[in-house]
Structures are given as C-alpha cells and as structure tokens.
Amino acid sequence: MKCYLISAKWCPACLIMLQRYRAFFAHQTDVDITIIDYDEEPERVKEFAVGSTLPVLVVYIDHQETQRIIGEKSLKQLQRIFSI
Amino acid sequence: MIYLDYSATTPVDRVVLGQFYRDVKTYYANPNSQHALGKEVQAKIARSQSRLSQLLAIQNHDVIYTSGATEANNLALLGWARKHQSSGMHLITSPFEHPSVTACFSQLVLEGYEVDVLSFDADGRINLEHLAQLIRPDTTLVSIGAVSSELGIIQDVASIHHICANHPHVVFHSDVTQAVGKIQLDLNLIDLFTLSAHKFYGMKGIGALIKRHDIVLEPVLFGGSSASLLRPGTPPAPLIISLTNALDIADAEHKSRIETVSRMHELLVSRLKEIRHLVFNSNEHSVKQIVNISLPGREAKAIQEALSEHDIFVSTQTACATKQHRSEQVFRLSQDEARATSSIRISLSHLTTESDIDQFVTVLKKVAS
C-alpha cells in the first residue's frame, strides 16, 4: 500500500495526524508513506487536487487510488476506515 | 477607513516612531565596534534592556533580541529541543498555537521527536489534568501560548507553571505575543517567553526571546558573537530601543487603554447580538481585544471582502495561516464546519471608536442579510 500524506507544518491537525498515521501503520511493513509539504511542494500538491482541509492521506493499492482520508481522525476512526 | 485587525498588527505609536527616527540618525554605529560611538550605542542598548526587564518585572532572565516572535519561537523551541535531545525527545504543546510554534513542532517531529497535543475544555482552556498526565521522564518542554491569536483565549499560566515546576527536567515556554499590553501576567512563571513589538504599537522587525539565565539553547543562526551568541548579526539599536519605548508607553497607558477597549468590547458584543444567526466563538475567557464570530452559511473570505469594499478591515484567521478556507482553531473548539468556514476575527484597540463599531455593525448586518 502506497500513501501520500499532504500536510503543512503550521497546521495542528497535520502535526497530530503525521504521528498518528506513523504509529497506526508502524507494524505494517507493506505500507509506505510519503509526506508532501503543502507549502514547499505546491506542484505535487496540485496533482492530488486537495480541498481546503488538511491533512489529506491519499491511499493507493496497485497504483489505484482507493481511499482519501481528510482532516483529523481518531485512532478508532482509522481502525474503522482500514477495517483493522 | 475602519481598522479592526489590531491583533494582526498595530500602527506604530507616534512617540515611538519619532524617537526611532531620531535614534536611527544618532545611534547608527555598530554596538560591537570598540570606538567611542560604538560603545555609546552598546550602553544605550544595555540601558534599554535594563528598562525592558524592569517593565516586564522579570528577574533572572536574559533578553535575546530577534526580528520578531516567529524567529524567537524558532530559537526557543528548536534551540531547546536540539540542545537537550540527549535528555529526552518528548515535547508537549497546545492546538491553539501560532503557526510559528506549530511549525517548529512539525519540524521536530520530522527530526524524530514525539509531540503530544493537549486536550482542552469547552471554552478552549487547556486540560491541566491531561498536561500532568502527559509529562514523562523524557519530556523536556511544554509550550502553551498565554493568549491564542484567533480566539483570544487566556490560558492559566500560573497552573501550567506549577505543573511543570513539579518536573525539574521540563521547561515551560509561552508565546506571550498576544498577551503583552493586554493582560497582566507574572512572566517570572515562564522559563522562556517570546514577544513582538508590532503587536503593542511598536515597530515591525523587532521582538525578543526572553529566557531564564540558566537555560541553555543551541543556536539556529550562526555568525559569531554579537549581542548574544544565540543571535548573531549587528544589533539594530534603534529598533531595540523602540521596543522598550513602545512597552513603556503601553505600561503607562495600560489602565486607560484597557478601559477604552473594555467599553468598545461591550458595545461591539451588544451590537453584534442584534444580528440573527451570528455565533460568538470567543468567550468569557478571551481577551477584550479579540472578538471572534461566525455567520454560518457565509464564507469567511466573502465576509472579509465585503467589509473590505467598505474600507473595513478584519481578519479571517491568524494572518500567517490563511491558506486553509476554514479556521482550524474555531473548528477544533466548535467541531462545526459551518462555524469554522464563516469565522472572522475582529480585534479592538484603544484607538477604536464608537463610530467605528457602529459603522462596522451596520455594514455587517447588510452582509449577513
């Protein structure tokens, strides 16, 4: 599973979710997360057509986008989303 | 023109500006120079710094002048965390911080630090029990702003100090930028604090990190010894003096300024209540200078633009975080998307008049209808 996390350094929800995603996927060796900085990489951000709420986790399986998780989510919500 | 964005920045006080103009012409020598003029400028800075410490009523603190609070926050947070990495890599902050604080923590997370973000009550006040629970043996720093920039909520600095003081390995940093000149605060309760002159009618381009003598930081800028090893570069003597001058005036006029602001706040709040569906996001714990409201169903940007067309200036969020179309702080507090996307911050000053408020509310009513 390939994930792109679009986040900004000044955004508190991004600060929280960066660590939460890392912890959530810590034991899943098949998950690769690439962080894209909203301010430093505007061209890459454009490719993902993100809306006004950060952060955005875009999930790809077999090169197909399968999920888009927007904003702050609790651990329980992540467990529901990923059916863990 | 009606300016109601004083929490973003303030106009420079005329006396401060006049003195600055004279000082620029008089104290232009490099205070690091060993000739008589350089030494005179150095002495002037020392006197100004001494007066600043007196005005802030601080003991045992060093002043490191910076370009503003953003740089000061970077030096305090990155400088402390990196210097004390071997003691621990766990840090604690609040979700209501200025972007310059949050961004430092994000950077530190990328460097391998762990950052916990505190929970809060319905009024946006930090959950002190949560703070006490979160502190671990490897925690080295707690950073909580005294007054939040968007909602103006005042945090309980004394209680935060007492919790941190129970853990000698933890220092307490507070961004007091929105508190200086607005509320009385015992700054001796804070190990490191940061401020910026342009928030209290001083010049842009000058701020300070003020830290307890015994606190050791790693520099984030390099360039040799100057006024401080932590902040290389030629000290801008006229700006340094102007910071003290602005604070001197703010101190002398504090009572009358607060009286005027309180009166304007009361008038504004009572008039805003005439607008149907308007919701207040700031509350009784907010400073009188900041009134944050929402008009659910309207876009904040559209409200701001409509007001701007009438020469009335307010802000939608902290000026440094306007890329998102909603206020993170309002959303966090209300969990209401409609409120977060329609919130505007009105910030008052002793310069605000009844006529300003009357015209503002009249136009806002039209915008809201």
Side-chain angles (χ1 to χ4, degrees), chain A residues 9 19 39 52-54 72, chain B residues 103 106-107 115 323-324 332:
Chain A
K9 286 201 174 87
Q19 298 177 100
D39 300 297
S52 59
T53 304
L54 291 174
E72 194 176 327
Chain B
S106 296
Q107 178 59 37
V115 179
K323 284 185 178 164
Q324 279 190 309
R332 198 162 283 278

Side-chain angles (χ1 to χ4, degrees), chain B residues 180-248:
Chain B
V180 177
K182 295 188 176 94
I183 57 168
Q184 300 287 0
L185 203 55
D186 182 356
L187 294 165
N188 292 297
L189 300 176
I190 308 169
D191 300 311
L192 310 99
F193 61 90
T194 39
L195 54 85
S196 192
H198 75 96
K199 304 287 188 185
F200 49 89
Y201 309 90
M203 307 284 294
K204 289 169 186 64
I206 187 72
L209 159 62
I210 301 175
K211 66 166 191 67
R212 247 181 31 219
H213 283 319
D214 58 329
I215 285 185
V216 184
L217 303 174
E218 187 172 296
V220 294
L221 293 174
F222 299 91
S225 177
S226 183
S228 161
L229 266 175
L230 291 169
R231 212 319 185 153
T234 303
L239 281 173
I240 287 170
I241 298 163
S242 76
L243 186 151
T244 300
N245 289 343
L247 197 61
D248 228 329

Side-chain angles (χ1 to χ4, degrees), chain B residues 151 281 292 327-335 339-340 343:
Chain B
L151 296 159
N281 299 314
N292 192 307
S327 161
E328 269 296 303
Q329 297 198 4
V330 172
F331 182 75
R332 198 162 283 278
L333 194 60
S334 65
Q335 290 298 303
R339 273 172 72 171
S343 73

Side-chain angles (χ1 to χ4, degrees), chain A residues 8-13 15-16 18-19 22 35 38-39 52-54 72, chain B residues 95 99 102-103 105-107 109-110 114-115 117 323-326 328 332:
Chain A
K9 286 201 174 87
W10 45 263
C11 153
L15 171 64
I16 292 166
L18 169 60
Q19 298 177 100
R22 275 181 175 171
I35 299 161
Y38 184 80
D39 300 297
S52 59
T53 304
L54 291 174
E72 194 176 327
Chain B
T102 305
F105 283 112
S106 296
Q107 178 59 37
V109 165
L110 294 174
E114 190 183 343
V115 179
V117 180
K323 284 185 178 164
Q324 279 190 309
H325 297 147
R326 72 173 191 187
E328 269 296 303
R332 198 162 283 278

Side-chain angles (χ1 to χ4, degrees), chain B residues 292-359:
Chain B
N292 192 307
I293 58 164
S294 287
L295 287 167
R298 307 270 165 190
E299 281 290 324
K301 282 274 172 209
I303 301 168
Q304 186 188 40
E305 280 166 20
L307 290 167
S308 184
E309 281 170 19
H310 289 82
D311 263 358
I312 299 172
F313 306 114
V314 299
S315 72
T316 53
Q317 304 163 46
T318 298
C320 310
T322 51
K323 284 185 178 164
Q324 279 190 309
H325 297 147
R326 72 173 191 187
S327 161
E328 269 296 303
Q329 297 198 4
V330 172
F331 182 75
R332 198 162 283 278
L333 194 60
S334 65
Q335 290 298 303
D336 185 331
E337 186 76 21
R339 273 172 72 171
T341 54
S342 66
S343 73
I344 59 166
R345 180 187 68 181
I346 306 143
S347 44
L348 305 171
S349 154
H350 59 283
L351 303 172
T352 307
T353 64
E354 289 181 16
S355 165
D356 290 342
I357 289 175
D358 187 57
Q359 289 180 64

